[in-house]
Amino acid sequence: MKKTFLLAFALVFQYSIVTGQWQLGIEEPMPSRQVHLDFHTSEFIPNIGEKFDKSQWQKALQLGKVNSINVFGKGHHGWSYYSTKVGNMHPELDRDLLGEQIAACHEIGINAPIYFTVGWSANDAEQHPEWVIRNRDGSFFAFNTDLNAPPDALRPHYSWKNLCSAVTSPYHRHIMEQVEEICKNYDVDGFWFDIYHIANGCHCQFCTERMKKEGVDLFDDDAVSKSMNLAFKDHMKALRDLVALYHPKATVYFNASTRLEDKHIFKQRLYDMNTHQDLEDLPTTWGGYDKLPLDAKYHLGQGVPITGMSGKFHKAWGEFGGFKHSDAIKYEAAAMISYGASCNFGDQLHPSGEMDMETYTNIGRAFDYVEKIEAYGPGGVPVSRLGLWLTLNEAADHGIVRMLLEMHYDFIVANLENLDGLELIVLPSSASLSVEEANKLNTWVKSGGKLITFGGGGLDEENDFVIDFGAAFESQSPFDFDFTVIENERIGDNLVSTPFLNYTSGHRFKPTTGKVYAYIREPYFNRTYTTYSSHRETPYKLENSAYPAVVKTKNTILFAHELDKLYYEHGVRLHRDFFKNAIDLLYEQPMLTVRNLPSSGRVSFLKQGQNNRYIAHLLYSPALLRGTVQVIEDFVPIPNVKIEVNVPQKISKVIQIPEMKELPFEQNNNKVMVDVATFSMHTGVVFEYN
């Protein structure tokens, strides 16, 4: 049967002579409404798959409005769900469950990529202990596992020995043989390889031999990690090439390779081995609802299609009987589309093989909404004249992201290739610039580019500024904390005039060519057992120190404090407003301005050049902390949101989705103003041009 589902898009870079910017264009289609189906089943459970029924399976997927589902070839227990001569078929399975599920999907036009575990495979770990990742002392590396626990002790969740698939390991060769067997025997749409985030290094005999040949210092953790992950990357490339040999159009994805927080993997760009990027997150308890925006903006900027991944579960993967409310699934799906991603929600099939219809009723309610809006998300790319420089310091990067999201300044991830299209870049406090990057940013600033940084973000290892911020580093502060006093009324707009607290101290800078807009006010002394006052911080002195809290030049603003990390940890609105005032001093031509949207609302601005349109997505449903879980519940009406876009094209029509209602607008040169009377949960405003 011909597959007729609505599609997301693969992307490629194209250079626009008109805008002088790198843009993205369409290349290959992808499914848009996906399910990721786990099936990790113990050998102690009988009658595996006995209740699988093709018609019930198909009814569930159709009820869920699903057009792609990851089915299972091999799960974490190490059992395969098909007849295999290479691996071990589940001892309680007497049918080709994988083959039946693929056939059932293809019969109704649904994609069925194959799930295959790598890092966690209990059966392989027990049969081949030499394949297990080893610590430096030779002991097994096991995730969340007490290897000396008595047999009847309660086992923690997510508890597995960890296997080494580095290209020099015989386990790699075993995986290659299993995957080739699947490729030969099945109609393969793709592979979804799991568990590549499990260790920072491996000292198994095969990795040790390889590293010795490479000249790696086995006691240098960074060198060991780099060697291991490059060997993983070779393993991934071999699998990618193998799949392409048999199924050239099949997708291939290696899970965890996209995670910015897994720096030991991310820095080696293991994600380059993927045909697309699945951005895994369970926002209720894992990454939170503000993880997706940065992940999406980074990976779309790399020129590949993306999928947002969440779950139907209340808390975590593999939670039998756990249900996230359909409203929350709907909000998460709308957010994925808003950030240019396809949608994927995780489920776990009961060992009997029978689909849970309540799960697919819930997912179907969300995907019913996705069907109405999906044409206006995937295939689009984020556009902005404000860029965030990525440092991979989670507190610094995400502290800025949170402030920008809450203030509704949409942004992209800045790099050396997209500088020309940016007006302002925010450089986090974690020093990360190479010499080449610093030189190019210096040239960019001298040509009119604008830059804001925090703390030591603009310093090198010698504490010299790599970019001219109109100041020089003098020393670290001897105080654990300090205060800020505003001197310039523009940067102090709507802030307090008295000294306000910083929970950590700022760097001591000396102004050179820059103008001081705020000063540091220091405490009388640090709080110690000898010198202390009251319950907490020591009061501030009555005079300013000699050290600035903010230094401004024509095109730069330097904050002495790490406001990004401070906001990530403490969430002081005053610090966020301080940052906002700095942005407003420099940022003159934002592409998107949104007013009257509460701070818990989110905005995303996409361009679909292939359709001659921009889309401003608006979201609103605050995540409420219930116990340890973030819950989406309230879809309240949001009235009177005002949108202004500033784009080079002449806008011919403005449409509100999903209602497909044409909106009146005002256009003044490149600025277009639109009022959104009221929306609930999500809406999109589409700006069409000829």
Side-chain angles (χ1 to χ4, degrees):
M1 179 177 178
K2 184 179 179 181
K3 299 174 185 177
T4 58
F5 43 76
L6 195 110
L7 304 169
F9 303 97
L11 308 168
V12 291
F13 276 112
Q14 298 173 338
Y15 189 76
S16 169
I17 299 175
V18 176
T19 64
Q21 301 178 36
W22 284 98
Q23 300 176 338
L24 296 169
I26 305 172
E27 189 176 63
E28 294 290 341
M30 279 186 60
S32 54
R33 284 166 273 114
Q34 306 174 21
V35 163
H36 179 84
L37 192 65
D38 275 346
F39 196 62
H40 308 295
T41 53
S42 169
E43 59 271 24
F44 296 107
I45 297 176
N47 305 319
I48 299 301
E50 69 170 354
K51 289 192 174 183
F52 173 79
D53 177 77
K54 181 179 74 169
S55 61
Q56 196 262 352
W57 171 274
Q58 292 174 336
K59 182 179 178 181
L61 297 182
Q62 290 169 331
L63 179 65
K65 297 182 178 293
V66 174
N67 58 27
S68 182
I69 181 169
N70 294 340
V71 296
F72 27 86
K74 181 180 179 181
H76 292 336
H77 286 271
W79 303 119
S80 298
Y81 299 97
Y82 59 94
S83 180
T84 173
K85 296 179 180 179
V86 178
N88 296 286
M89 186 172 173
H90 196 292
E92 294 293 324
L93 178 68
D94 61 3
R95 64 198 299 176
D96 182 359
L97 192 58
L98 174 64
E100 290 185 61
Q101 289 170 345
I102 291 174
C105 287
H106 287 179
E107 186 175 293
I108 57 173
I110 292 177
N111 256 27
I114 298 167
Y115 177 94
F116 191 99
T117 193
V118 176
W120 293 344
S121 180
N123 190 46
D124 288 318
E126 294 305 317
Q127 290 185 3
H128 295 277
E130 72 276 14
W131 293 355
V132 177
I133 290 176
R134 302 295 179 115
N135 297 309
R136 185 176 282 113
D137 64 4
S139 60
F140 289 126
F141 181 91
F143 186 85
N144 206 27
T145 302
D146 180 1
L147 297 176
N148 297 313
D152 58 349
L154 292 179
R155 187 171 186 140
H157 297 160
Y158 313 103
S159 174
W160 308 92
K161 290 181 180 177
N162 300 264
L163 291 151
C164 178
S165 62
V167 72
T168 49
S169 167
Y171 182 52
H172 159 75
R173 295 191 291 275
H174 178 69
I175 293 169
M176 291 285 287
E177 291 172 1
Q178 282 192 283
V179 171
E180 185 170 27
E181 180 183 51
I182 294 172
C183 286
K184 288 179 177 179
N185 294 336
Y186 294 97
D187 182 11
V188 175
D189 293 323
F191 276 94
W192 208 93
F193 296 107
D194 201 9
I195 311 299
Y196 285 90
H197 65 288
I198 48 181
N200 289 336
C202 179
H203 293 268
C204 72
Q205 66 184 88
F206 311 105
C207 284
T208 300
E209 291 171 5
R210 183 193 68 253
M211 289 188 290
K212 286 180 178 179
K213 292 178 181 177
E214 294 173 353
V216 173
D217 181 351
L218 299 182
F219 293 91
D220 183 335
D221 290 341
D222 289 338
V224 169
S225 175
K226 181 177 180 180
S227 174
M228 175 185 179
N229 284 296
L230 289 176
F232 273 4
K233 194 170 185 178
D234 288 341
H235 150 82
M236 292 173 174
K237 185 178 186 304
L239 276 174
R240 171 99 181 248
D241 291 345
L242 174 64
V243 174
L245 179 65
Y246 289 95
H247 302 279
K249 294 184 179 181
T251 58
V252 176
Y253 176 73
F254 300 93
N255 194 29
S257 60
T258 59
R259 295 181 190 166
L260 278 62
E261 59 270 28
D262 287 337
K263 291 188 287 187
H264 62 286
I265 287 178
F266 192 82
K267 286 183 178 180
Q268 307 307 324
R269 294 181 64 98
L270 270 63
Y271 57 80
D272 283 342
M273 295 298 103
N274 299 326
T275 59
H276 62 286
Q277 310 299 359
D278 285 356
L279 308 180
E280 183 188 7
D281 179 25
L282 291 172
T284 53
T285 56
W286 189 354
Y289 281 90
D290 287 338
K291 181 178 185 297
L292 176 62
L294 180 58
D295 288 357
K297 290 173 187 295
Y298 177 82
H299 286 291
L300 280 179
Q302 298 298 303
V304 291
I306 63 172
T307 299
M309 287 194 71
S310 184
K312 73 101 176 185
F313 317 107
H314 177 64
K315 295 185 72 173
W317 292 107
E319 181 183 61
F320 277 114
F323 284 89
K324 182 183 294 174
H325 195 278
S326 60
D327 283 351
I329 298 175
K330 181 178 178 181
Y331 175 84
E332 291 175 15
M336 293 169 187
I337 296 296
S338 297
Y339 292 113
S342 296
C343 304
N344 189 320
F345 286 88
D347 180 25
Q348 182 162 220
L349 186 70
H350 190 275
S352 69
E354 183 177 20
M355 296 283 261
D356 182 86
M357 301 306 284
E358 294 292 343
T359 291
Y360 289 87
T361 298
N362 276 355
I363 291 174
R365 288 171 182 153
F367 281 176
D368 179 66
Y369 186 73
V370 169
E371 281 188 302
K372 297 179 175 68
I373 66 171
E374 61 190 354
Y376 299 94
V381 292
V383 287
S384 178
R385 297 186 181 103
L386 170 61
L388 166 68
W389 196 269
L390 193 64
T391 68
L392 298 184
N393 181 295
E394 184 173 355
D397 293 345
H398 279 275
I400 293 171
V401 168
R402 289 179 184 178
M403 289 190 281
L404 293 175
L405 291 173
E406 291 165 13
M407 297 185 295
H408 309 135
Y409 289 105
D410 203 27
F411 65 96
I412 63 172
V413 176
N415 55 56
L416 294 183
E417 283 70 46
N418 62 19
L419 286 181
D420 290 343
L422 296 172
E423 180 185 0
L424 172 65
I425 292 175
V426 182
L427 182 65
S429 60
S430 181
S432 64
L433 295 178
S434 67
V435 173
E436 178 191 11
E437 290 168 339
N439 289 338
K440 290 189 176 181
L441 281 175
N442 262 317
T443 300
W444 177 76
V445 169
K446 290 176 182 177
S447 300
K450 300 166 186 178
L451 198 58
I452 294 175
T453 195
F454 304 98
L459 299 175
D460 61 17
E461 293 181 355
E462 305 299 323
N463 284 325
D464 293 324
F465 275 108
V466 295
I467 295 169
D468 183 8
F469 283 100
F473 177 82
E474 185 164 302
S475 68
Q476 300 289 344
S477 172
F479 297 103
D480 294 331
F481 58 91
D482 59 24
F483 307 82
T484 294
V485 180
I486 302 296
E487 289 291 311
N488 181 279
E489 62 181 16
R490 292 182 64 196
I491 207 166
D493 187 35
N494 291 320
L495 303 183
V496 297
S497 59
T498 52
F500 57 84
L501 174 65
N502 304 298
Y503 293 96
T504 57
S505 61
H507 289 67
R508 284 181 161 181
F509 295 131
K510 180 179 180 181
T512 53
T513 59
K515 184 176 180 179
V516 177
Y517 272 37
Y519 275 101
I520 291 174
R521 186 76 65 89
E522 294 174 336
Y524 288 101
F525 42 75
N526 281 329
R527 182 180 177 86
T528 69
Y529 279 95
T530 301
T531 59
Y532 65 95
S533 179
S534 190
H535 295 304
R536 288 181 54 91
E537 291 80 14
T538 307
Y540 48 79
K541 296 178 182 178
L542 297 179
E543 65 281 342
N544 293 343
S545 72
Y547 306 107
V550 177
V551 177
K552 183 181 182 302
T553 69
K554 179 182 177 182
N555 286 355
T556 68
I557 292 179
L558 167 67
F559 285 88
H561 297 89
E562 297 177 339
L563 289 190
D564 45 9
K565 295 177 182 177
L566 283 171
Y567 195 78
Y568 183 83
E569 183 174 355
H570 304 287
V572 178
R573 179 176 173 180
L574 195 153
H575 289 159
R576 188 188 76 195
D577 291 346
F578 198 16
F579 177 37
K580 179 185 186 302
N581 290 344
I583 292 175
D584 291 344
L585 283 173
L586 297 179
Y587 195 27
E588 298 175 344
Q589 298 292 326
M591 296 184 77
L592 175 69
T593 303
V594 177
R595 297 183 178 89
N596 298 340
L597 181 65
S599 63
S600 293
R602 295 292 178 262
V603 304
S604 175
F605 197 48
L606 300 176
K607 181 180 181 181
Q608 290 181 327
Q610 71 277 10
N611 299 113
N612 290 348
R613 64 194 181 202
Y614 295 89
I615 307 100
H617 287 275
L618 307 177
L619 293 153
Y620 186 81
S621 186
L624 308 172
L625 190 63
R626 304 270 171 80
T628 59
V629 180
Q630 293 188 59
V631 176
I632 293 290
E633 183 169 335
D634 298 325
F635 290 174
V636 299
I638 304 298
N640 195 32
V641 175
K642 297 182 179 298
I643 296 177
E644 179 181 299
V645 301
N646 183 342
V647 294
Q649 298 86 356
K650 183 176 177 60
I651 301 302
S652 58
K653 184 185 293 186
V654 177
I655 300 170
Q656 185 175 0
I657 60 170
E659 299 86 353
M660 302 307 294
K661 172 185 175 183
E662 190 166 344
L663 298 179
F665 63 94
E666 296 180 22
Q667 187 157 2
N668 183 8
N669 295 324
N670 289 340
K671 293 185 178 180
V672 177
M673 286 75 70
V674 177
D675 291 343
V676 179
T678 301
F679 80 94
S680 178
M681 196 276 291
H682 167 266
T683 192
V685 180
V686 182
F687 298 84
E688 297 183 353
Y689 58 87
N690 296 323

